[in-house]
Structure formats: structure tokens, C-alpha cells
């Protein structure tokens, strides 16, 4: 395939004229049916449209034509990350690097993967390797500062970010990363400023949008503290997190009068997130920052909360069984809130199961009172037990 | 027409093989999708029922496409005995050229331009290397476009029509009046908005409205310049336009001139933008009588230098047609179709958020459906209101996705207020 055609199609993709680009690719494929480069363009175009399925097909076809195309392996790795398949992603990016060890961007992606996995030392290694190839590479620079921040080396990260901002204040990635840096420190005002700049450069940049959402929510004291708490735990790693919860549990068993404190901790960690989402929903600026499907779950939760409040009032005025129902509804809010952000179907299944358990025990309580005319004891037992199991499952679910 | 519909119409033809009108329609359909064998088959059968010139001409064109030149030439020569329509002349000459009889073609061509002074075909002239008479050598086929639509065929868009009138139509009609007020003809208007809402359509209609020259620069030409780093090419286009003053220059998908900032670092694309701005500013008042129209679906990709005050005189948001505009557009689109009188306003009420292109799709769907029914019953059935209302259910307004993106820019990237119009349109 000739260079001119390649450039034209690439120019179209860069300009977001994806439909036209795809059209051109299709007609070029009629002429050069075995051009792996055309398939890599096609995959890039679909990736930009977030059509991951078609992108994957294009990558596979391209690799079938030329198993030595490093860029296709890189795209393959990105698609694997998209599906949360980090093992495969690792293999693919290594293949890309093996074929072409001079692309800083490949190392940037590898570093990003290790950040996602919480393996910050490796992330730092690969980002640095990428920077050896191209000291200006935005991706690698950002991954390095992110890994440094997350592993508690904020000082180094800050210097790097400052230099990068001075160098190129128009990089939405650097601006967003600086935002996250300040968010971590709890400086919400500064964080918002940087996210706002990132969004003004590219308002569709998901990473910056998510950051702005966090920053807006963090204006609220409870959310801010929760965020910092979760950042702190993230720094310590998964084992520490589990140990901490085990420790708290043991302490509560030994010193029962600390139980109310434990309850406050639980309420705080469970409900701050969903409630913040609901508050954000009523703000125009905030609502449209949320992914549309996330807003759907928030709508559901607003409905559930309304019902729960009604149940609470009914419990107060009509029959105390409605307290149980209110409790079960309040609990349902949490799996609904968590549902969207887990990717794996099995994990989603677990969340759905708990939502059903919570709601189910509320319904059983109603049945026992009004139809069977018996005590609601068994329903309350199920509810409490599933709540306790849920509290442990959530800790495990997070990673 | 797509293949599916054609296959269905063919089925109808099996029942009424003597329906020549339909058969010709089917042949044209196959011709349009480049299935010349099928087209040929149907034309031959149509000729067995009715010996019509237009059928024969199309058949000759099929032979041209099928590289069966000698048969095509025989048909044309038979027709030329009594018929001299321009398309036939062009087809005949093309057949001669393609079959290698260039000498004959030149001789015939010279005879035609004497006999039929109105006739002229740039494509043939190009192949025969005959300099065109209307445009001189420096001007390639940039002016050859002669859109046959005008403002009356464009529904709504009154804002922009007014702007175009005041910038070019009126000054040309009343030069003294405008001179008295120190206003010159020409200027620049940039249109942006969701796809399918008439930006390109209106620009073409401008050409029909004004009896001035019209030059369209599309995405392909822009990419050519961009890939080839050719500011010179852009300058030449402007120079040709200036020489042909008064002239309307139309840049479609003008955002393609630039590109996201990060890419510009590596390429010389910046030069192209600077060149465009230079031409737009016009050195030494050269731009008198030159109207520059730009259109884009993605204003956020436009280089910010374009949007600064003083570059374009007006930057206009082209929203989807409102109720009144939809009413007019529907009326315009259904006028030429066999349709009973209907309550256009009522249909317009049911098509909130539809773009002009969506309305066109809607009418096309209804027409195809009716065509099928007419085939079965064997007589022309007129479109009624319910046909259109049924089709409404099949079309999703296509502007939604655009507004999702636009909303993001209006909310989070509106630093200099450039998206204020979108913001107020969306009630944000
Ligand atoms: N205002 C209008 N009046 C009549 N037809 C319209 C109008 N707007 C759009 N259309 C129809 O829709 C088609 C697509 O419009 P187009 O001008 O290409 O949209 P844009 O350039 O804004 O993306 C046109 O060819 C025309 O048939
Ligand atoms: Mg257009």
C-alpha cells in the first residue's frame, strides 16, 4: 500500500472523521486485501469509536497476515487491558516490544498496566525505560509520576509534574495527572483547577472526567476523607487491606463496646460513595461528567432511597416491619452502586446476588407479617447475615 | 436503490413482465450500483416491448461500461440519425475514445461544437486534450460544478440566508448603495452544527442563487493539500477565485485544514492554516467580491485561530430544523412525489430532533414502501399521511450523538464562549 494513502487515512482518523476513514479503508482493502497496515488503521479507527469488538477482529486479521507487526501487538495489548485481561495484555505488549524495542509508547502502556495491577516498582522501571528512548514521551512521563505518587514518593512526582507542565501546559494527560496528584494530597481546589484545564483541552477525556468527578465529590468532607483513606490503603497494598479489616474485626470481638465506632466506619465507607453520586446527579455540571450508564444506576439508587425513606416513615407510623424493609432497601443501594465499576461477569453476578438477597429478605419480612402472620425473625437473620458476609466480600471484590 | 429492493422489484416484474416503466427503473437501479450485465438484460427486454431512445442510450452506456465498444457505437450511430441530446453526444464520443478511435472523436467533436454551440463536455475535452473554451488553462475543473438548486429549495436556515444575501447578493445588485455606506461585497461565514442539517446543501444552493462563479473545496482536496504540505495549492485556488470575482468559495469540512495540536508539532500542517488565514485576511483588499463559506460538523477540531474575531465575519450555529423549518422541508421533499395533500405540520411535530437528512431518509423509506405496494397492485398508489407517519417510527434522529459531544464541549471547554449558542440551544 502506498504511503500517501496511509497518510490520508491516518489524517482522517486523527481528525475524528472515522466513518470516512473506514470507508476509505474498505475500498483500499479491495485493492490491497493482504495489507496488515490497513488492518492496523482499521483497528485504530474502531478503537477510537470504542468499538472494541470490531477492533479486535481487525487486529486478529492483521496479525494473521503479518505476525511481525509490532503495532498490531500493541493494539492487541490495549484491547486486552480494556477487557481487564492483564495476563494476556502483558504477553502482547512484550511481543510488541520484542519486535520493536524502540517505541517509548509501548513501554508507557506496559507501565500503565503495572500501575493498574498495583505493581508500582515495575511500573517505574518500564516508564523509565521508555523515557530513556524518548525523554519527552508524555505517556511515560505521566506513568512515572503516577507510579511515584501511588507508591508514596510524592516529592519526586511533584518535581516531574512541575517540569512537564512548564514544558507543555497543553497536555491534557499531564494536567489530569497533576489534578490527581493534588487530589491525593487533599488539595481539592488545586485538583479542580487542573482537571478543569484538562477538560477544556479535551472534554471527552475519560481520565480527566473521572478525576473531576472525584474532585467535586471531595469538596464534601466525608468523601474527601474516604478518598484519602482509600488512597492510603491503595499505597499499602491488598494484603495490608485484608489484614487491617481482620484486625478491626478481632478488636471488635475482644472489645465489644467499640462496636458503635465500627458501625460508623462501615456506614461511612459504604454510603458516602452512593450518596455523593446522588448529590452530583442533581448538578448539571456534575451529571454530564458521569458516564451515561453510571447515571442510570444512580437513578435506580435515587428511586431505592426514596422507597427506603417512605418505608422508614411507614415503619415509624404504621408497622415496625417496615424498618426491616427500609434497612434492606438501604443495603441494596451498595451493590447497585458498585455494579457498574466492576468488569468481570462473575463479580457482577456476586453483586447481583447480594442485591437479590437484601431485597428478598425485605419481601420475606412482609410476607411473614401480613400473610403468614408470624414473627419476622428469620428474615432479619438472613438480612443481617448477608450484610456481614457482604462486608467481607466487598473487601475481596475490590481486587 | 439497493440490491434488496431491486430483487423485490424483479419479482414484481415476473408477474407483470410488460411493465416497461418499472423495468427501466430497475435497469437504472442496476446501472447505478455498477451491475451492468443485469442492467443490459433488463434494457434489452424493455426494448422488446417498446422502442424508446432513452432505453437505447442507457444500453449504449452499459456497453461502454462493459467494454463492448463496437455494439455501443452502432446503437449511438443509429440514434444520432434523429437525436442530438447532449448525453448521447458525450456517450458516443466516449465510446470512440475508449475504443481507440481518437482521430474520429476529435473530428466529431469539432463538428458538434459548431453544430451545437450550447454543448460542451469537460471530461471529453480533457481526454482529447482540447483546451476548454469557457475556462482558461490555469483553471482546472474547479468551476465546472453547476448546482441546480437555489434558496427556495432549502427549508429554514433564514439566518444564514440573510447573511449571505447581505454579504454578496445585495452588494452585487446595488453596488452604489453599498459603496455609499462603505461596505464591500464579500466576506467570510463559518457554519457549524450537527451533520445532515443543510450546511453543504445551503452552500450549493448559494451557487444557484447567485449568478456568480462557485468553487467547492471538499475534504479530499483539503487532505491532498495537507498530506502534500501544499500551501501553494491553496493560494492558487484563492487566486483563481479572485480572478473570477464575484465568486463564492466553499470549504466543506473545513476543520480538516488543521488537526489536533499534538500532531501539528510533527508536521508542517501549521503552514496550511497560516496560509488560509492569510488568504482570508486578503492582502491589499484583493478579496473584494469574494464570499468564503466554511462548514464543519466538528467545530472543536477547528484551529482556534479560525475562531478569533475578525477572521470570519460571522460564525453561525446551524441547529437541526425547528418545527417551521421541518414543515417546509417535508413539503419541499414531498412536492415532487405522487402524494395526496397532507398535514405537514403534524408530521413535523412528530419529528423533533430530526435533521434534514433524517427527513430525507424518512421520505425515501415511505416512497420505497409505496413503490413496492404499487408494484403489487399494478397502479400508482399515492403517498398518504399514514405512510409518512409509519416511516417516522423507523428513523432515529441522528443528531443526538452529536449533541452528546457538543454538550461536553459547551459545559467543560467553553473558555472563550465559542459554544454559547450550543449551550443556550441545549438549555445548559
Ligand atoms: N434545510 C434543508 N432543506 C432541504 N433539505 C435539507 C435541508 N437540510 C438538509 N437537507 C437534506 O439533507 C441532506 C444532507 O444535508 P447536508 O447539507 O449534506 O448536511 P450537512 O452539510 O449539514 O452535514 C441534503 O442533501 C438535503 O437533501
Ligand atoms: Mg456537509
Amino acid at each position: 500500500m502506498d504511503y500517501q494513502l496511509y497518510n490520508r487515512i491516518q489524517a482522517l482518523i486523527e481528525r475524528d472523521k472515522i466513518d470516512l476513514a473506514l470507508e476509505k479503508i474498505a475500498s483500499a482493502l479491495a485493492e490491497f486485501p493482504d495489507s496488515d497496515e490497513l488492518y492496523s488503521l482499521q483497528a485504530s479507527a474502531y478503537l477510537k469509536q470504542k468499538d472494541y469488538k470490531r477492533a479486535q477482529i481487525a487486529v486478529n486479521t492483521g496479525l494473521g497476515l503479518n505476525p511481525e507487526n509490532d503495532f498490531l501487538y500493541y493494539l492487541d495489548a490495549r484491547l486486552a487491558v480494556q477487557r481487564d485481561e492483564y495476563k494476556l495484555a502483558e504477553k502482547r505488549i512484550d511481543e510488541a516490544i520484542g519486535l520493536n524495542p524502540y517505541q517509548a509508547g509501548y513501554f508507557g502502556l506496559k507501565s500503565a498496566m503495572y500501575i493498574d495491577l498495583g505493581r508500582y516498582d515495575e511500573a517505574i522501571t518500564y516508564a523509565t525505560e521508555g523515557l530513556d528512548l524518548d525523554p519527552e514521551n508524555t505517556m511515560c512521563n505521566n506513568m512515572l509520576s503516577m507510579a511515584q505518587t501511588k507508591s508514596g514518593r510524592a516529592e519526586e512526582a511533584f518535581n516531574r509534574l512541575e517540569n512537564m507542565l512548564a514544558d507543555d501546559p497543553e497536555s491534557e494527560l499531564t494536567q489530569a495527572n497533576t489534578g490527581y496528584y493534588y487530589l491525593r494530597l487533599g488539595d481539592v481546589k488545586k485538583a479542580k483547577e487542573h482537571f478543569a484545564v484538562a477538560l477544556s483541552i479535551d472534554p471527552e477525556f475519560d481520565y480527566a472526567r473521572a478525576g473531576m468527578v472525584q474532585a467535586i465529590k471531595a469538596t464534601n468532607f466525608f468523601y474527601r476523607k474516604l478518598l484519602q483513606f482509600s488512597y492510603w490503603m491503595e499505597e499499602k497494598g491488598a494484603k495490608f487491606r485484608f489484614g487491617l479489616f481482620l484486625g478491626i474485626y478481632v478488636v471488635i470481638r475482644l472489645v465489644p463496646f467499640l462496636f458503635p465506632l465500627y458501625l460508623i466506619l462501615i456506614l461511612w465507607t459504604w454510603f458516602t460513595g452512593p450518596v455523593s453520586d446522588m448529590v452530583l446527579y442533581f448538578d448539571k455540571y456534575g451529571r454530564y461528567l458521569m458516564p451515561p450508564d453510571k447515571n442510570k444506576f444512580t437513578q435506580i439508587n435515587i428511586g431505592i432511597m426514596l422507597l427506603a425513606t417512605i418505608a422508614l416513615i411507614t415503619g415509624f407510623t404504621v408497622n415496625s416491619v417496615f424498618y426491616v424493609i427500609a434497612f434492606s432497601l438501604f443495603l441494596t443501594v451498595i451493590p447497585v452502586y458498585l455494579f457498574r465499576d466492576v468488569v468481570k461477569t462473575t463479580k457482577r453476578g456476586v453483586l447481583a446476588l447480594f442485591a437479590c438477597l437484601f431485597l428478598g429478605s425485605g419481601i420475606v419480612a412482609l410476607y411473614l407479617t401480613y400473610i403468614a402472620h408470624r414473627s419476622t425473625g428469620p428474615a432479619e437473620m438472613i438480612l443481617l447475615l448477608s450484610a456481614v458476609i457482604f462486608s467481607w466480600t466487598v473487601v475481596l471484590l475490590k481486587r | 436503490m439497493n440490491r434488496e429492493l431491486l430483487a423485490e422489484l424483479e419479482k414484481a416484474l415476473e408477474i407483470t413482465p410488460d411493465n416497461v416503466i418499472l423495468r427501466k427503473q430497475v435497469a437504472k437501479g442496476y446501472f447505478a450500483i455498477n451491475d451492468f450485465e443485469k442492467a443490459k438484460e433488463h434494457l434489452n427486454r424493455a426494448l422488446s416491448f417498446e422502442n424508446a431512445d432513452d432505453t437505447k442510450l442507457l444500453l449504449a452506456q452499459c456497453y461502454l461500461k462493459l467494454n463492448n465498444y463496437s455494439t455501443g457505437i452502432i446503437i449511438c450511430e443509429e440514434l444520432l440519425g434523429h437525436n442530438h441530446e447532449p448525453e448521447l453526444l458525450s456517450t458516443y464520443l466516449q465510446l470512440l475514445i475508449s475504443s481507440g478511435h481518437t482521430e474520429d472523436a476529435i473530428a466529431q467533436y469539432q463538428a458538434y461544437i459548431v453544430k451545437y454551440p450550447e454543448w460542451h463536455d469537460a471530461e471529453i475535452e480533457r481526454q482529447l486534450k482540447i483546451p476548454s473554451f469557457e475556462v482558461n488553462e490555469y483553471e482546472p475543473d474547479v468551476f465546472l460544478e453547476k448546482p441546480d438548486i437555489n434558496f427556495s429549495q432549502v427549508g429554514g436556515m433564514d439566518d444564514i440566508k440573510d447573511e449571505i444575501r447581505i454579504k454578496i447578493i445585495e452588494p452585487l445588485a446595488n453596488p452604489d448603495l453599498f459603496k455609499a455606506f462603505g461596505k464591500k461585497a464579500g466576506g467570510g461565514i463559518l457554519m457549524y452544527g450537527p451533520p445532515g442539517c443543510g450546511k453543504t446543501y445551503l452552500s450549493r444552493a448559494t451557487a444557484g442563487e447567485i449568478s456568480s462563479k462557485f468553487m467547492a473545496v471538499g475534504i479530499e482536496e483539503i487532505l491532498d493539500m495537507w498530506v502534500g504540505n501544499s500551501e501553494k495549492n491553496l493560494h492558487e485556488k484563492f487566486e483563481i477565485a479572485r480572478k473570477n470575482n464575484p465568486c463564492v468559495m466553499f470549504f466543506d469540512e473545513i476543520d480538516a485544514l488543521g488537526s489536533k495540536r499534538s500532531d501539528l508539532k510533527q508536521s508542517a500542517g501549521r503552514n496550511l492554516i497560516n496560509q488560509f488565514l492569510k488568504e482570508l485576511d486578503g492582502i491589499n483588499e484583493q478579496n473584494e467580491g469574494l464570499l468564503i463559506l466554511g462548514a464543519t460538523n466538528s467545530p472543536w477540531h477547528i484551529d482556534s485561530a479560525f475562531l478569533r474575531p475578525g477572521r470570519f465575519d460571522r460564525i453561525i450555529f446551524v441547529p437541526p430544523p425547528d418545527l417551521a423549518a421541518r414543515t417546509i422541508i417535508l413539503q419541499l421533499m414531498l412536492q415532487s412525489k405522487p402524494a395526496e395533500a397532507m398535514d405537514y405540520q403534524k408530521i413535523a411535530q412528530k419529528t423533533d430532533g430530526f435533521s434534514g437528512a433524517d427527513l430525507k431518509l424518512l421520505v425515501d423509506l415511505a416512497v420505497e414502501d409505496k413503490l413496492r405496494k404499487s408494484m403489487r397492485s399494478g397502479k400508482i398508489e399515492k403517498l398518504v399521511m399514514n405512510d409518512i407517519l409509519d416511516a417516522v417510527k423507523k428513523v432515529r434522529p441522528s443528531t443526538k450523538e452529536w449533541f452528546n459531544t457538543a454538550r461536553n464541549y459547551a459545559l467543560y471547554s467553553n473558555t472563550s464562549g465559542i459554544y454559547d449558542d450550543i449551550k443556550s440551544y441545549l438549555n445548559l
Side-chain angles (χ1 to χ4, degrees), chain B residues 195-196 199-201 250 252-253 295 297:
Chain B
K199 297 182 292 298
T200 305
Y201 196 62
F250 172 51
D252 208 355
E253 317 225 27
N297 298 337

Side-chain angles (χ1 to χ4, degrees), chain A residues 26-263:
Chain A
S27 67
L29 275 174
E31 201 177 336
F32 311 99
D34 49 5
S35 157
D36 52 310
E37 280 169 330
L38 278 175
Y39 281 103
S40 78
L41 285 173
Q42 198 182 40
S44 310
Y46 283 131
L47 208 60
K48 212 159 176 185
Q49 274 186 333
K50 300 195 178 171
D51 185 343
Y52 302 119
K53 239 195 200 139
R54 289 215 171 87
Q56 187 66 61
I57 294 171
V59 165
N60 294 348
T61 317
L63 281 175
L65 291 166
N66 178 11
E68 309 248 291
N69 185 326
D70 50 291
F71 185 64
L72 280 168
Y73 281 109
Y74 163 77
L75 292 178
D76 206 9
R78 276 178 59 184
L79 285 163
V81 169
Q82 194 61 44
R83 293 188 305 266
D84 244 7
E85 292 178 18
Y86 284 92
K87 276 251 161 57
L88 181 68
E90 218 177 323
K91 218 174 115 196
R92 291 295 184 241
I93 197 66
D94 281 343
E95 263 157 322
I97 291 174
L99 287 165
N100 179 359
Y102 306 108
Q103 277 292 336
Y106 297 174
F107 289 94
L109 178 64
K110 193 165 179 182
S111 176
M113 280 160 39
Y114 285 121
I115 291 176
D116 284 352
L117 294 171
R119 288 155 65 176
Y120 304 123
D121 288 339
E122 281 151 292
I124 289 173
T125 310
Y126 289 113
T128 315
E129 242 179 86
L131 288 174
D132 286 343
L133 291 169
D134 173 10
E136 308 265 286
N137 188 283
T138 320
M139 179 78 175
C140 288
N141 268 310
N142 273 290
M143 290 311 117
L144 183 52
S145 63
M146 202 190 295
Q148 285 170 336
T149 316
K150 290 199 172 192
S151 59
R153 293 189 237 169
E155 189 89 359
E156 284 168 59
F158 181 71
N159 289 334
R160 174 167 301 279
L161 285 170
E162 268 215 317
N163 284 334
M164 282 156 65
L165 279 182
D167 236 28
D168 181 9
E170 293 277 285
S171 157
E172 64 270 30
L173 182 58
T174 310
Q175 290 287 358
N177 251 336
T178 313
Y180 277 107
Y181 169 81
Y182 281 116
L183 198 57
R184 222 164 232 283
L185 293 188
D187 189 343
V188 174
K189 199 162 155 268
K190 278 243 173 204
K192 269 188 178 168
E193 276 169 24
H194 286 283
F195 286 130
V197 176
L199 287 177
S200 77
I201 300 164
D202 181 3
E204 307 226 288
F205 185 33
D206 286 335
Y207 184 59
R209 291 167 71 91
M212 186 55 118
V213 165
Q214 296 284 27
I216 295 175
K217 289 196 216 166
T219 6
N220 172 290
F221 173 81
F222 293 106
Y223 194 89
R224 186 160 65 245
K225 290 298 151 197
L226 181 68
L227 200 62
Q228 284 181 301
F229 178 60
S230 71
Y231 282 149
W232 177 70
M233 289 208 302
E234 194 179 83
E235 268 171 41
K236 301 291 178 196
K239 275 194 206 111
F240 175 85
R241 214 178 308 151
F242 197 70
L244 180 75
F245 271 79
L246 204 67
I248 291 175
Y249 179 72
V250 171
V251 169
I252 299 297
R253 296 303 326 242
L254 295 178
V255 199
F257 71 85
L258 281 179
F259 187 73
L261 267 181
Y262 177 67
L263 212 59

Side-chain angles (χ1 to χ4, degrees), chain B residues 337-358:
Chain B
K337 305 275 180 328
E340 279 174 10
M342 41 183 120
D343 186 351
Y344 298 113
Q345 180 146 7
K346 191 157 172 214
I347 307 169
Q349 276 162 357
K350 302 228 180 249
T351 49
D352 196 30
F354 278 51
S355 68
D358 293 337

Side-chain angles (χ1 to χ4, degrees), chain B residues 153-155 157 194-201 297 329 333 356-357 360:
Chain B
Q153 274 131 296
V154 182
M157 308 186 83
C197 292
K199 297 182 292 298
T200 305
Y201 196 62
N297 298 337
I329 294 173
M333 287 176 175
K360 188 167 179 339

Side-chain angles (χ1 to χ4, degrees), chain B residues 183-402:
Chain B
K183 286 268 178 206
K184 295 186 192 103
I189 300 172
L190 179 62
M191 298 175 268
Y192 68 95
C197 292
K199 297 182 292 298
T200 305
Y201 196 62
L202 178 80
S203 301
R204 304 183 72 80
T206 305
E209 189 74 18
I210 308 174
S211 44
S212 68
K213 298 266 168 87
F214 182 78
M215 185 198 291
V217 184
I219 176 109
E220 296 295 336
E221 281 124 320
I222 291 179
L223 280 183
D224 274 343
M225 290 188 265
W226 190 79
V227 172
N229 278 329
S230 174
E231 303 93 73
K232 216 177 95 226
N233 203 330
L234 185 66
H235 177 66
E236 273 165 13
K237 285 200 157 66
F238 270 91
E239 280 299 293
I240 295 171
R242 287 183 188 118
K243 259 189 252 158
N244 284 276
N245 155 339
C247 179
V248 177
M249 265 183 115
F250 172 51
F251 289 83
D252 208 355
E253 317 225 27
I254 196 172
D255 55 295
L257 266 182
S259 149
K260 280 261 176 81
R261 191 193 48 90
S262 55
D263 313 316
L264 287 188
K265 262 196 212 152
Q266 297 141 18
S267 71
R270 186 82 245 161
N271 296 340
L272 195 60
I273 290 171
N274 289 338
Q275 185 68 38
F276 183 85
L277 292 174
K278 233 162 62 190
E279 303 291 347
L280 195 61
D281 286 344
I283 323 139
N284 310 332
E285 300 174 26
Q286 280 170 348
N287 282 352
E288 166 110 55
L290 188 62
L291 178 69
I292 297 151
L293 296 177
T296 173
N297 298 337
S298 10
W300 30 85
H301 287 330
I302 287 194
D303 196 276
S304 51
F306 283 22
L307 303 174
R308 264 175 230 136
R311 256 60 197 265
F312 282 95
D313 302 307
R314 284 284 311 259
I315 299 178
I316 301 180
F317 172 48
V318 182
D322 60 11
L323 183 70
R326 287 200 301 278
T327 311
I328 298 171
I329 294 173
L330 283 165
Q331 201 169 352
L332 285 170
M333 287 176 175
L334 287 163
Q335 241 168 25
S336 54
K337 305 275 180 328
E340 279 174 10
M342 41 183 120
D343 186 351
Y344 298 113
Q345 180 146 7
K346 191 157 172 214
I347 307 169
Q349 276 162 357
K350 302 228 180 249
T351 49
D352 196 30
F354 278 51
S355 68
D358 293 337
L359 293 175
K360 188 167 179 339
L361 177 64
L362 174 102
V363 171
D364 283 349
L365 279 178
V367 166
E368 281 192 9
D369 213 42
K370 207 79 236 188
L371 195 60
R372 258 173 249 195
K373 285 197 187 116
S374 301
M375 266 24 288
R376 282 189 205 114
S377 67
K379 59 175 192 283
I380 291 179
E381 292 192 20
K382 285 192 169 178
L383 277 165
V384 295
M385 178 116 161
N386 269 342
D387 298 325
I388 308 289
L389 291 178
D390 281 346
V392 170
K393 290 175 202 137
K394 293 185 205 149
V395 182
R396 296 267 125 250
S398 65
T399 55
K400 264 217 180 91
E401 204 179 324
W402 188 89

